[in-house]
Each structure stands twice: as structure tokens, then as C-alpha cells.
Amino acid sequence: MDSVLARKNGKQDCYYEWTIGLRQIKVGKCSMEIKGLDDVFQEYYDKGKTPDEIVGFEMINNIRKQNFIPEDVEDLYNEALLNEYKVYFNARKEDRK
């Protein structure tokens, strides 16, 4: 499969097209797929932002550019996103050692 063009056997496969660039995270009791999350994490990491430096719903506002997040569960998303970024940040920090 050509992962860049999302093709399988020379034909475009919509399933693969939609799964590229998605990251699954646990929000409350549900698993949700978030588009562009790795890019947001990389941007924060490149700017040197630690998980403790992300203020309020800053990450939700960035994620909303590509994803629908219902207002009534923003707090659950905020907690889940910050937890995922902590894991990402610590893994990247360990890789540099």
C-alpha cells in the first residue's frame, strides 16, 4: 500500500484515506478518533511547551479546527488531550536521551 497516496493495489481505498492522520484516544469511557492530533502535539513540543504550560482549553481550540468537539464534554476532552500530550512529551523527552 502506498501510504502517502492512500492507495491499495493501484486503486484509491477510502477506508485507508480516512484512517491516515487519525489518533485514537480515550475520552471518558469512549475511544475517539482525533484528526491532526500528532501535528498539534509536534507543534507544542517544537515550541518547548511542557504539559503544565498548556493553559485552559488551548488544545481543544486547536483540535476543533479539524474535529467536532461537543461543548458539553469539553472537560473530558481537555483531560484526555492533556493526558495524551503528557505521554507524548515524556516519550519524546526519553528519545532525546
Side-chain angles (χ1 to χ4, degrees):
M1 182 175 120
D2 181 349
S3 62
V4 175
L5 298 176
R7 293 183 182 152
K8 186 176 179 182
N9 299 326
K11 295 181 181 177
Q12 191 165 4
D13 186 336
C14 293
Y15 176 77
Y16 287 107
E17 183 178 34
W18 282 102
T19 58
I20 292 173
L22 294 177
R23 179 190 272 241
Q24 195 170 60
I25 66 169
K26 185 120 174 135
V27 178
K29 295 181 181 181
C30 300
S31 291
M32 305 300 292
E33 289 185 334
I34 308 293
K35 185 176 184 177
L37 189 56
D38 289 328
D39 294 335
V40 171
F41 285 175
Q42 183 66 46
E43 182 181 324
Y44 286 162
Y45 188 82
D46 290 345
K47 290 179 180 177
K49 281 194 170 191
T50 67
D52 296 330
E53 294 175 330
I54 298 172
V55 181
F57 290 91
E58 173 184 355
M59 197 177 309
I60 286 180
N61 290 332
N62 285 326
I63 297 300
R64 270 201 170 119
K65 294 174 185 174
Q66 297 183 54
N67 301 274
F68 172 73
I69 299 176
E71 289 182 17
D72 59 336
V73 291
E74 282 180 343
D75 57 333
L76 294 175
Y77 272 87
N78 190 50
E79 181 181 347
L81 291 167
L82 287 174
N83 286 337
E84 284 295 314
Y85 183 63
K86 284 178 190 174
V87 171
Y88 177 90
F89 182 85
N90 291 329
R92 290 292 308 270
K93 201 164 79 170
E94 286 296 317
D95 286 344
R96 285 194 168 183
K97 290 182 179 181

